[in-house]
Amino acid sequence: QKEVEQNSGPLSVPEGAIASLNCTYSDRGSQSFFWYRQYSGKSPELIMSIYSNGDKEDGRFTAQLNKASQYVSLLIRDSQPSDSATYLCAAWTGSARQLTFGSGTQLTVLP
Amino acid sequence: DTAVSQTPKYLVTQMGNDKSIKCEQNLGHDTMYWYKQDSKKFLKIMFSYNNKELIINETVPNRFSPKSPDKAHLNLHINSLELGDSAVYFCASSPTGTAEAFFGQGTRLTVV
């Protein structure tokens, strides 16, 4: 079974701090990685995608990928209460044409 | 303009009934998916459909069947509903060559 694992949390950080979310995956054939944000009662929303080793920055978000360690992370700088949500990590395996999600990490940013 | 739309948003039905959930996307994407999200928020792929090629997650009971009348639509039909089918079902789509999926608003199915 191909798995994507995340700490379920909850993770609480004060407003303005850096939130660090982590994810590991078991399938070495996974090629692309994604972070989705899901507010309570809403649908998942794609916020970051990363395809190669290293860092990718988009505004306050930075995704990091280390394929050797099978590790993906998401950093949220200057966290805001509006960032409070569940963050889902997903890995794409092209051969299986399957996007596998982790169970999500619940983030709470405290004002 | 809703990119991926599902109907209905809520569905309450009795055990044993047959129901359908409709999904439409206006993004011009070639691949569509159905996901099930359980009470613990775990999002699990059920089906993916691309150019009439259906990929089925082997854990999905055959009571569930996707039906695609055209590239923009992928409906989910469920026979003989069971209590354990209660969940939120999400439709999603992505362009060919990427896995950047865009989700519909979800259908909360409650089987009583």
Side-chain angles (χ1 to χ4, degrees):
Chain A
Q1 173 109 14
K2 312 301 183 196
E3 292 185 349
V4 175
E5 297 189 356
Q6 301 178 246
N7 290 328
S8 61
L11 172 67
S12 295
V13 300
E15 185 174 355
I18 296 175
S20 178
L21 306 166
N22 303 317
C23 171
T24 59
Y25 60 95
S26 62
D27 183 4
R28 286 196 173 273
S30 296
Q31 299 154 304
S32 311
F33 304 88
F34 306 90
W35 284 98
Y36 285 80
R37 177 177 61 200
Q38 187 175 24
Y39 294 112
S40 181
K42 301 295 185 183
S43 59
E45 173 192 11
L46 178 65
I47 56 172
M48 288 289 285
S49 57
I50 187 164
Y51 302 96
S52 56
N53 281 329
D55 295 358
K56 179 181 177 182
E57 187 175 318
D58 183 0
R60 295 186 296 111
F61 298 98
T62 298
Q64 299 174 317
L65 173 61
N66 184 325
K67 289 188 176 181
S69 302
Q70 296 178 244
Y71 176 85
V72 191
S73 67
L74 180 70
L75 300 177
I76 306 175
R77 291 181 299 282
D78 187 24
S79 295
Q80 301 297 309
S82 59
D83 295 327
S84 298
T86 296
Y87 288 80
L88 301 166
C89 174
W92 169 256
T93 304
S95 58
R97 294 184 214 175
Q98 184 161 308
L99 187 61
T100 302
F101 282 83
S103 56
T105 298
Q106 185 179 342
L107 172 67
T108 300
V109 180
L110 304 170
Chain B
D1 289 343
T2 303
V4 183
S5 62
Q6 297 176 229
T7 54
K9 189 173 181 179
Y10 300 97
L11 182 56
V12 181
T13 187
Q14 291 185 326
M15 277 195 305
N17 284 348
D18 301 340
K19 290 293 179 185
S20 292
I21 305 172
K22 294 185 177 181
C23 178
E24 176 182 5
Q25 55 97 2
N26 63 6
L27 297 167
H29 291 169
D30 294 315
T31 305
M32 296 185 71
Y33 312 87
W34 277 104
Y35 283 87
K36 178 181 180 181
Q37 189 169 46
D38 61 26
S39 57
K40 295 184 178 179
K41 302 297 185 183
F42 187 60
L43 199 60
K44 188 172 182 180
I45 182 75
M46 300 178 71
F47 305 101
S48 65
Y49 198 85
N50 176 287
N51 288 332
K52 301 185 180 180
E53 181 182 8
L54 176 65
I55 300 174
I56 303 171
N57 185 321
E58 65 273 11
T59 66
V60 175
N62 58 14
R63 298 181 295 103
F64 291 80
S65 58
K67 299 186 189 303
S68 179
D70 55 57
K71 196 173 81 166
H73 297 82
L74 184 65
N75 304 324
L76 182 65
H77 190 75
I78 315 169
N79 290 327
S80 303
L81 278 155
E82 300 177 358
L83 292 176
D85 297 332
S86 297
V88 180
Y89 291 83
F90 286 102
C91 176
S93 71
S94 65
T96 298
T98 84
E100 296 184 356
F102 294 82
F103 284 79
Q105 72 270 38
T107 296
R108 182 174 294 277
L109 171 65
T110 304
V111 182
V112 298

